[in-house]
Amino acid sequence: MTTLSHRALNRALMDRQFLLARTDRTPLEVIGRLVALQAQEPNWAYVGLWSRIDGFTQPLLTALLEDRRVVRSGLLRSTQHLAAADDFRRLRPLLQTVLDRTAASPHFTRNSTGLDPASLVSDALGLLAGGTLSRKELARRLAERHPGRDGRILAGQAELSTPLVHGAATGAWGSWGNRSAVSVTPADAWLGRPMAVTASAAGARESAKELIRRYLAAFGPAGVKDAQAWCGLTRLGEVVAEMRGELRRYRDPDGRELFDLADAELPDPGTPAPVRLLPAFDNVLLGHADRTRVISDEDRKHVMPGQARVRPTFLVDGRVHGTWSLDAGALRLTPLRPLADPDRAALEQEAERLLPFVGGAAVNWSS
């Protein structure tokens, strides 16, 4: 069994994430290839596509949201993602157990003691009546129906427990940090089609296999724990075991078993990787349990200082080399270690290219 170096794994990831070279594929095709695009803060998803697609502009994604071909909702790891509408219809039912697990956490259950989860969903859907409400209004009405309980937490629990899609304006460019303006609509009403239904355990198993194939196409080669960390599902080892005949096997530098699609090509580890600026919560940093192919454990402490934080980063030679931020029109670059002069120049040039996209006025450096 071939052992792949960290550099070989890095170049495979960069290639499959369109970070070795920008692609001329459409935003819909790229979102589909990546399975789903992290979108806690709507603007960051736009930056992620800018870093991957040649000539990408904001209206290209906004139009997909307005046309309901891309939707924003809770998905992988119970967090907000953008996904192609057809993918969302198939994936959300498969991942519902992950969201249910989050909805059953103490943060929610302390507020809903004695309230049947199915009744809460029924109440929320009844209040929505197939239409749209802001999260704030849904919370207010649920609180009226259940006095003494926090309506915001009830609304969040309902959103986890049944597929609710965010309105197009919620995910559009310019809605940075305005979470109170999020609107929700039952997914089947928003999409005009019912969610996919898995009729049997065998059907669910086949759906899980397809999810693993798509994960490997975007993040492979990878191990079972990597896939589980990415999507939140458990017991995927059993699924992968059934797929062994169709998958190629490798080892990582620490001897862990990795899997990949049989026909997936690996780029030459010597392939140059250009500098790239990645948004907060970028897929590249969240796609594996072992993230050393793209970021060291020491650097990870600076980039991911808390469970719910992943700072914007920049890549040099395919690996995280620092963070960046926007502050009063300035795009500030903060290296984690000294940069060689050519890398510093290339990074500054890439940051200058990003400035008009994010509405910045200048590039600054932090020591």
Side-chain angles (χ1 to χ4, degrees):
M1 194 184 305
T2 301
T3 296
L4 299 176
S5 66
H6 284 299
R7 188 176 178 87
L9 291 171
N10 174 272
R11 291 308 190 258
L13 179 62
M14 294 297 105
D15 184 45
R16 297 181 195 192
Q17 290 282 319
F18 306 111
L19 292 170
L20 281 186
R22 284 183 168 89
T23 181
D24 59 2
R25 297 190 191 192
T26 67
L28 185 61
E29 290 172 329
V30 170
I31 292 170
R33 168 63 178 268
L34 302 181
V35 187
L37 198 65
Q38 195 88 16
Q40 271 98 326
E41 294 289 352
N43 283 8
W44 287 128
Y46 285 79
V47 175
L49 291 176
W50 179 89
S51 293
R52 290 170 166 86
I53 300 174
D54 188 32
F56 175 76
T57 59
Q58 291 96 335
L60 295 173
L61 176 56
T62 300
L64 292 174
L65 291 163
E66 292 173 346
D67 294 343
R68 307 188 183 190
R69 287 186 289 167
V70 167
V71 298
R72 181 176 187 261
S73 182
L75 200 60
L76 302 166
R77 302 181 302 279
S78 299
T79 57
Q80 308 306 319
H81 280 75
L82 297 182
D86 286 341
D87 284 343
F88 180 76
R89 288 182 56 250
R90 292 191 297 270
L91 292 177
R92 174 67 187 243
L94 175 65
L95 296 168
Q96 188 58 53
T97 56
V98 180
L99 289 100
D100 287 342
R101 190 166 65 236
T102 302
S105 66
H107 171 73
F108 294 102
T109 56
R110 281 194 297 264
N111 185 62
S112 58
T113 301
L115 178 60
D116 178 57
S119 296
L120 174 60
V121 168
S122 179
D123 286 344
L125 292 177
L127 291 169
L128 288 164
T132 299
L133 289 175
S134 68
R135 272 180 175 169
K136 184 176 181 179
E137 180 62 15
L138 178 60
R140 186 187 69 78
R141 296 188 187 187
L142 285 171
E144 285 182 347
R145 186 162 293 191
H146 300 283
R149 303 180 193 270
D150 189 322
R152 293 170 300 175
I153 298 177
L154 291 177
Q157 187 174 2
E159 193 173 331
L160 287 164
S161 302
T162 192
L164 302 180
V165 171
H166 300 169
T170 297
W173 179 261
S175 52
W176 203 303
N178 193 14
R179 297 187 181 188
S180 63
V182 172
S183 63
V184 293
T185 308
D188 52 358
W190 182 261
L191 298 174
R193 289 168 291 170
M195 300 296 285
V197 176
T198 301
S200 64
R205 199 70 146 203
E206 288 305 312
S207 295
K209 290 179 182 178
E210 182 58 26
L211 181 65
I212 289 169
R213 294 184 191 104
R214 294 190 59 185
Y215 167 70
L216 292 175
F219 295 91
V224 171
K225 289 183 178 179
D226 293 319
Q228 292 182 160
W230 168 74
C231 68
L233 291 170
T234 59
R235 303 183 65 176
L236 289 183
E238 300 170 8
V239 181
V240 171
E242 295 180 8
M243 301 173 67
R244 280 180 176 267
E246 68 174 82
L247 299 177
R248 186 176 296 167
R249 298 164 61 202
Y250 298 100
R251 295 281 183 193
D252 73 4
D254 296 317
R256 289 181 287 253
E257 189 174 35
L258 305 177
F259 299 91
D260 202 7
L261 301 176
D263 59 352
E265 297 183 2
L266 299 180
D268 184 336
T271 304
V275 297
R276 288 288 183 262
L277 280 83
L278 301 181
F281 301 100
D282 192 84
N283 293 25
V284 161
L285 298 181
L286 297 170
H288 303 86
D290 176 13
R291 299 169 187 173
T292 54
R293 69 186 67 194
V294 69
I295 185 172
S296 70
D297 289 335
E298 182 61 32
D299 288 348
R300 187 172 170 176
K301 298 173 186 176
H302 298 285
V303 172
M304 306 174 190
Q307 188 174 7
R309 291 188 66 191
V310 182
R311 289 173 170 148
T313 58
F314 59 80
L315 305 180
V316 175
D317 194 30
R319 296 184 59 79
V320 171
H321 211 99
T323 63
W324 63 277
S325 60
L326 286 171
D327 183 19
L331 193 161
R332 183 173 299 277
L333 299 166
T334 306
L336 294 171
R337 65 191 60 81
L339 287 163
D341 288 344
D343 293 332
R344 185 181 178 94
L347 182 59
E348 187 159 347
Q349 183 179 37
E350 182 75 352
E352 292 280 359
R353 291 184 66 243
L354 181 59
L355 273 182
F357 186 88
V358 297
V363 174
N364 295 331
W365 291 86
S366 295
S367 56

